Amino acid sequence: MDFATRFAPSPTGYLHKGHAYSALVAWRAAQEAGGRFVLRIEDTDFTRCRPVYDAAIFEDLAWLGLDWEQPVLRQSEHRADYEAAIERLGGMGLLYRCFRTRKEQMALAGLAPHAGDPTDAQAFRGGPHPPQEEAAFLVQGRPFAWRLSLAAARDRLGDFADLTWTEEGLDPGLKSARPETLGDMVVGRKDIGAGYVIASVIDDARQGISHVVRGVDLAELTSMQRVLQALLDLPTPIYRHHPLVLDETGKRLAKRDGSTSLMSLRAAGMTPEALIAELGL
């Protein structure tokens, strides 16, 4: 297998040290294997993506000394492919519309209104709406999400445990899919379009990605991606999940928490060599 991996940021904020670590680990893996390093811009969520963040991604990665294969794939230029995949799943009877608001989803998950995203806490347990309720919501023009029915997917694929992949990073070995931990995941929205999970598996196949190198915080998603790969007849890469960069309190870095950006570190005079040393690389 020809080695190919990718770094796939979303331009919804500035990159931070955690992104730098992940990009460097993936780039070095490609260098050591004599393979390809792909930069992919995952900009499907046009409501949150901004040109200033997009431009900063290229500046930050170049400052780190990375190079990547050209041309750079932008998911916003391939929406039709993702929509076609969603239509294919719908034609197989695997999707249903979910009109629930975030507050309603929180209630289903048994969480307080001020808690984090319910998908971070436990699986979605809602299921399809009753037919009359769904029809009424459609007439009202309410926005909805397309959710993948795990029950329908199991009927089509059989036991999820038979869907496997190889993990070469943390906790290495042959892994079996357990998508039940995530429940019926959203694969697309009426107002925004395809979601991250389905777009990523399509593009991993499109770009010939042999190894997905990413943070351990995304490890749980692998089960759902493995299910989608099976349903859409896509190849399964090898996965390498690496540790996360944590702040002084032991919490993982995140854009939404205002973690110090690479742009700010550059402006403060930090050198890439100093940052790489700080990251233990």
Side-chain angles (χ1 to χ4, degrees), residues 186-207:
V186 170
V187 296
R189 299 183 184 277
K190 179 185 178 182
D191 51 348
I192 296 176
Y196 157 76
V197 178
I198 193 167
S200 66
V201 297
I202 291 172
D203 287 334
D204 284 342
R206 184 203 314 273
Q207 296 185 288

Side-chain angles (χ1 to χ4, degrees), residues 95-98 100 124 126-131 133-134 149 184:
L95 305 181
Y96 62 87
R97 297 181 182 88
C98 179
R100 296 173 182 87
F124 175 77
H129 296 271
E133 185 177 65
E134 179 182 29
S149 169
D184 293 349

Side-chain angles (χ1 to χ4, degrees), residues 6 28 50 61 65 69 101 112 121 151 163 189 230 235 247:
R6 41 76 161 181
R28 288 187 175 185
R50 299 288 183 271
L61 296 182
E69 187 174 273
T101 63
L163 301 177
R189 299 183 184 277
D247 64 17

Side-chain angles (χ1 to χ4, degrees), residues 7 15-28 37 56-68 261-263 265-266 270-279 281:
F7 178 61
L15 301 186
H16 51 61
K17 292 178 184 178
H19 295 114
Y21 183 89
S22 193
L24 283 162
V25 169
W27 182 80
R28 288 187 175 185
F37 176 71
I57 288 172
F58 292 88
E59 294 171 6
D60 289 338
L61 296 182
W63 173 74
L64 285 171
L66 307 190
D67 55 358
W68 49 87
S261 68
L262 298 184
M263 182 180 68
L265 295 175
R266 287 193 284 119
M270 176 172 270
T271 65
E273 293 79 13
L275 177 59
I276 291 169
E278 180 181 324
L279 294 173
L281 296 173

Side-chain angles (χ1 to χ4, degrees), residues 118-146:
T119 57
D120 292 339
Q122 63 186 86
F124 175 77
R125 304 297 184 191
H129 296 271
Q132 288 185 332
E133 185 177 65
E134 179 182 29
F137 289 156
L138 285 171
V139 170
Q140 296 168 17
R142 286 182 56 168
F144 62 83
W146 286 112

Side-chain angles (χ1 to χ4, degrees), residues 8-183:
S10 298
T12 56
Y14 293 112
L15 301 186
H16 51 61
K17 292 178 184 178
H19 295 114
Y21 183 89
S22 193
L24 283 162
V25 169
W27 182 80
R28 288 187 175 185
Q31 294 291 304
E32 291 169 1
R36 299 162 49 224
F37 176 71
V38 172
L39 175 61
R40 179 194 306 160
I41 303 299
E42 297 195 336
D43 56 350
T44 55
D45 186 350
F46 59 84
T47 65
R48 298 172 58 218
C49 294
R50 299 288 183 271
V52 64
Y53 301 142
D54 189 297
I57 288 172
F58 292 88
E59 294 171 6
D60 289 338
L61 296 182
W63 173 74
L64 285 171
L66 307 190
D67 55 358
W68 49 87
E69 187 174 273
Q70 297 291 345
V72 172
L73 185 148
R74 294 180 178 276
Q75 290 188 334
S76 57
E77 299 173 355
H78 297 274
R79 294 184 189 278
D81 296 331
Y82 314 137
E83 295 303 321
I86 291 175
E87 289 181 12
R88 180 178 171 187
L89 294 174
M92 291 188 283
L94 301 174
L95 305 181
Y96 62 87
R97 297 181 182 88
C98 179
F99 295 84
R100 296 173 182 87
T101 63
R102 183 178 183 276
K103 183 177 180 180
E104 290 168 337
Q105 291 181 54
M106 300 292 282
L108 284 170
L111 300 174
H114 60 275
D117 191 320
T119 57
D120 292 339
Q122 63 186 86
F124 175 77
R125 304 297 184 191
H129 296 271
Q132 288 185 332
E133 185 177 65
E134 179 182 29
F137 289 156
L138 285 171
V139 170
Q140 296 168 17
R142 286 182 56 168
F144 62 83
W146 286 112
R147 288 190 181 273
L148 176 69
S149 169
L150 286 182
R154 187 184 296 106
D155 288 343
R156 189 176 189 89
L157 297 174
D159 190 349
F160 290 137
D162 293 334
L163 301 177
T164 61
W165 70 90
T166 299
E167 169 66 43
E168 290 185 346
L170 299 174
D171 189 24
L174 188 66
K175 304 299 179 183
S176 294
R178 297 181 60 246
E180 300 88 349
T181 60
L182 295 170

